[in-house]
Amino acid sequence: MWWPKPALALLPIALALAGCGFHPLYGKQGVDPDVGEELAAIQVDPIRDRQGQLIHNALLKALTPEGTPAKPRYHLLVAYTVTEAQQALQTDNTATRDVLYYKVLYRLYEGSTAVTAGTFPKTFSYNFLSEHFANIAAQGDVQERAAEAICEEVRNRLAIYFTTAAEKRAQAAK
């Protein structure tokens, strides 16, 4: 039987993951299948300005893909600050690269009680080009990339929280 070379290359990886006890963090086959339901019970609070709107929309799409819950159990507060630095200066002191440093804070509430919180940094950059419209497009692209990366980090941290909370409840019930 003939197998394509890429499939043969992936076979040892699949076997190694199956043998090491790898489980997805959330989903039907995850460590705790209820994590997806917990994530879907989160209401995301609005976030200021255009960048915040992009982050908010990405979180809505990732956490509650079937729509905002009618009776949310949790609400998520996300805030961020951005520091911009121009780098790669030319001899005439014009920059050719812009770096954006994000510091993100998230806090998950159940009622009025904060159940988990955290902060994390994210860094993004883009090149300045000679065309003005190209710079505007590059800024928009980096904002979208930042929103998706921040959303992914928050979602993963919340999934880890719900997984460890479920494990603690299971051990306490024993």
Side-chain angles (χ1 to χ4, degrees):
M1 178 180 225
W2 180 81
W3 287 82
K5 288 183 182 182
L8 288 176
L10 295 176
L11 185 62
I13 295 171
L15 291 174
L17 285 176
C20 76
F22 171 79
H23 298 286
L25 186 58
Y26 50 90
K28 290 189 184 347
Q29 304 299 321
V31 175
D32 182 10
D34 294 332
V35 169
E37 292 174 20
E38 295 283 351
L39 292 173
I42 297 174
Q43 173 186 335
V44 182
D45 291 349
I47 308 170
R48 64 175 170 82
D49 68 28
R50 175 66 180 148
Q51 181 67 54
Q53 183 183 27
L54 292 172
I55 295 168
H56 179 264
N57 291 345
L59 285 167
L60 288 177
K61 190 168 84 174
L63 299 176
T64 57
E66 295 179 11
T68 305
K71 293 184 179 180
R73 182 174 174 193
Y74 307 97
H75 69 97
L76 177 66
L77 171 72
V78 177
Y80 68 93
T81 58
V82 181
T83 306
E84 188 173 353
Q86 295 180 347
Q87 295 182 343
L89 297 177
Q90 296 179 355
T91 55
D92 63 352
N93 279 338
T94 58
T96 60
R97 188 156 186 82
D98 200 23
V99 181
L100 302 171
Y101 300 99
Y102 284 78
K103 183 175 180 184
V104 181
L105 162 79
Y106 68 95
R107 188 167 286 133
L108 183 68
Y109 292 92
E110 185 173 10
S112 60
T113 306
V115 292
T116 187
T119 60
F120 59 90
K122 286 287 184 185
T123 304
F124 302 93
S125 61
Y126 65 96
N127 291 331
F128 287 126
L129 302 169
S130 58
E131 295 295 322
H132 180 67
F133 180 75
N135 288 328
I136 293 170
Q139 286 173 338
D141 179 61
V142 80
Q143 287 179 338
E144 290 176 16
R145 286 187 294 128
E148 290 297 325
I150 289 168
C151 166
E152 184 177 323
E153 183 74 23
V154 170
R155 182 189 61 206
N156 288 343
R157 287 172 178 240
L158 293 175
I160 290 169
Y161 164 73
F162 287 126
T163 300
T164 56
E167 290 171 355
K168 288 178 185 176
R169 282 192 305 269
Q171 287 185 359
K174 287 183 182 182

